[in-house]
Amino acid sequence: MVVPPDPGRDTDRAGRGARAPIGARLTATAAPAGTPPRLATVDAVRGVAVMGILLLNIIAFAMPGYAYVDPHYYGGADGANFVAWALAYVLADGKMRGLFTMLFGASMLLIADRALASGARPARVHYARMLWLCVIGMLHAYLVWAGDILVLYALCGAAAFLAWRLPARTLFVFAAALLAAKLAVGAVQYDAAARYEAAATDPASDPALRAGWQAYRDSMAPPPATAATDLTAYRGGWASVQAARAETALRYQQRILPLVIPDTLALIALGMALFRTGFFSGGWSRRRYRQVALAGYLVCVPLYLPLVAWIDAIRFSPVTLLMTEALHLTLLRPLLAVADAALVILFVQSGHARWLAERLAAAGRMAFSNYVGTSLVCTLLFYGYGLGWYGWLERWQCYGVVAGVWALILLWSKPWLDRFAYGPLEWLWRSLARGRPQRFRRN
């Protein structure tokens, strides 16, 4: 098990210790009696991630699904709407989910190490957790929101656990290999699709070839007219919404989920490796965290600018997106997600706005409850059996809802944990995995 260094010390490359700011003492927070102390840096990063995920998911809650990819499809693609898409794409798209995924890998190791230290069998503890995570995820996907990621995490977590004893270097190599393979597949798919498009759009091409190409393109990017089907379904009552939700969840699990397993496993492995090095526990020097944050932003953000210009120039062509998404997901997303984590860790250790650091850590400790709770709140706001806002807001207006949900998360998480040992779903998950009810209220 990686034991983080004394949170009150900061060590530079030469190994000389220097007294850290008072905020570093947030590294360890109170935990229920009989359990090891929690790491506030891990919790705060997780809190930022679970809140940041809504910056992208809000579009899938608020309007027809393909608007998540292409603002021309629905919600507006000009002016403030384009700026909203571009900022979300550069700063949040994939990064927050990537950060959440890396924290999932780090937590796997943290829980396995604690189980081993307590005399329990890590494999038994882990697979019981993954089983119940999958069950809860299926309920979430088919009864609350089709965009669920819990089932994906349960499946990938079951596979990734086989590597939990590997050293950090091996985990880094494994993550890099998976990301490189994903990038190579994306490049091959882009080349093949571009050749197909060129042949099918040639004026002399065979009608059957053109028809085949149009069907292929529609499978990647549905025509805007199909948005009307989603609007009718999700503005209806419970039965109408439930039928559309179940169909979408099944389609996602059959077609999309297998495609994202490789990069999800890569990010889990990356999170495991970073945890082994002490990154998430605040064990690096402040200088190294600053270097990681600066390098991530100074390298990745400028590289995103030509991607944004390219995507805009070709009006979100699904063929070009095969290449831009491969570059975005495999090269830029992991680097910027790690930079985000470094920035949050520096903030927690700085001692500034301690109240906010504590509330972010509380939000992270209740990430499971906050993730599902966000789905409940947003579906009640947008679906027909709730307030029925589905499809009525422009893209930029959706971020007012995001700010409101963030305020709710920050307001309720800490007071709840002042009274209870776990968040509601954390308690349920822990109780199911252990086969007996866990203590819920604090002493």
Side-chain angles (χ1 to χ4, degrees), residues 377-399:
V377 169
C378 288
T379 51
L380 287 173
L381 288 175
F382 291 105
Y383 290 175
Y385 56 75
L387 295 183
W389 292 357
Y390 191 82
W392 293 113
L393 300 182
E394 293 187 24
R395 196 178 197 94
W396 70 269
Q397 293 172 326
C398 293
Y399 292 100

Side-chain angles (χ1 to χ4, degrees), residues 20-353:
I22 186 68
R25 297 175 191 172
L26 282 169
T27 300
T29 60
T35 63
R38 297 186 63 98
L39 298 172
T41 48
V42 173
D43 289 333
V45 174
R46 188 185 293 111
V48 169
V50 76
M51 292 169 62
I53 286 174
L54 186 57
L55 289 168
L56 278 301
N57 285 353
I58 191 65
I59 304 303
F61 283 121
M63 56 189 69
Y66 195 68
Y68 185 100
V69 177
D70 181 0
H72 292 280
Y73 182 75
Y74 201 88
D78 300 314
N81 290 313
F82 179 79
V83 172
W85 168 81
L87 288 175
Y89 179 72
V90 173
L91 299 177
D93 189 4
K95 290 79 171 175
M96 296 297 107
R97 186 168 69 86
L99 196 53
F100 202 50
T101 306
M102 287 190 282
L103 263 298
F104 182 77
S107 296
M108 279 174 46
L109 293 191
L110 188 61
I111 291 167
D113 289 342
R114 286 177 174 175
L116 190 63
S118 67
R121 296 173 58 187
R124 181 177 180 181
V125 171
H126 176 77
Y127 284 108
R129 287 170 57 84
M130 294 303 102
L131 171 63
W132 287 109
L133 181 64
C134 187
V135 171
I136 296 172
M138 292 293 282
L139 293 173
H140 178 240
Y142 285 91
L143 297 178
V144 182
W145 185 51
D148 168 79
I149 59 171
L150 301 177
V151 173
L152 171 66
Y153 282 177
L155 297 176
C156 290
F161 188 74
L162 299 175
W164 81 280
R165 289 181 179 271
L166 294 178
R169 179 173 297 181
T170 305
L171 291 167
F172 278 126
V173 171
F174 179 69
L178 283 175
L179 292 174
K182 177 93 174 181
L183 179 59
V185 169
V188 170
Q189 289 178 329
Y190 167 69
D191 180 69
R195 290 174 183 272
Y196 190 8
E197 181 180 34
T201 54
D202 188 303
S205 64
D206 182 84
L209 181 64
R210 290 199 297 271
W213 161 251
Q214 189 60 48
Y216 173 70
R217 192 184 189 285
D218 289 348
S219 71
M220 293 193 293
T226 60
T229 303
D230 273 2
L231 292 173
T232 300
Y234 285 101
R235 287 176 177 174
W238 173 267
S240 172
V241 170
Q242 183 54 35
R245 177 166 45 206
E247 179 186 354
T248 303
L250 180 62
R251 183 170 66 249
Y252 170 79
Q253 291 178 355
Q254 289 180 334
R255 300 181 185 178
I256 307 300
L257 189 148
L259 300 178
V260 298
I261 283 178
D263 52 295
T264 302
L265 283 173
L267 292 171
I268 289 175
L270 181 58
M272 294 164 70
L274 288 170
F275 179 76
R276 287 294 189 215
T277 68
F279 174 82
F280 285 117
S281 58
W284 290 17
S285 70
R286 290 179 61 78
R287 182 173 65 176
R288 290 183 68 192
Y289 284 120
R290 284 192 293 267
Q291 289 171 343
V292 168
L294 284 173
Y297 285 104
L298 293 178
V299 171
C300 294
V301 172
L303 289 176
Y304 265 110
L305 299 182
L307 283 185
V308 169
W310 189 16
I311 292 169
D312 183 44
I314 48 83
R315 292 183 63 84
F316 293 78
S317 163
V319 174
T320 303
L321 290 180
L322 290 172
M323 191 69 250
T324 59
E325 285 301 285
L327 293 169
H328 154 61
L329 294 177
T330 61
L331 295 180
L332 301 179
R333 174 180 66 169
L335 296 175
L336 204 50
V338 173
D340 288 337
L343 203 61
V344 175
I345 292 168
L346 283 170
F347 167 66
V348 171
Q349 293 182 338
S350 72
H352 300 307

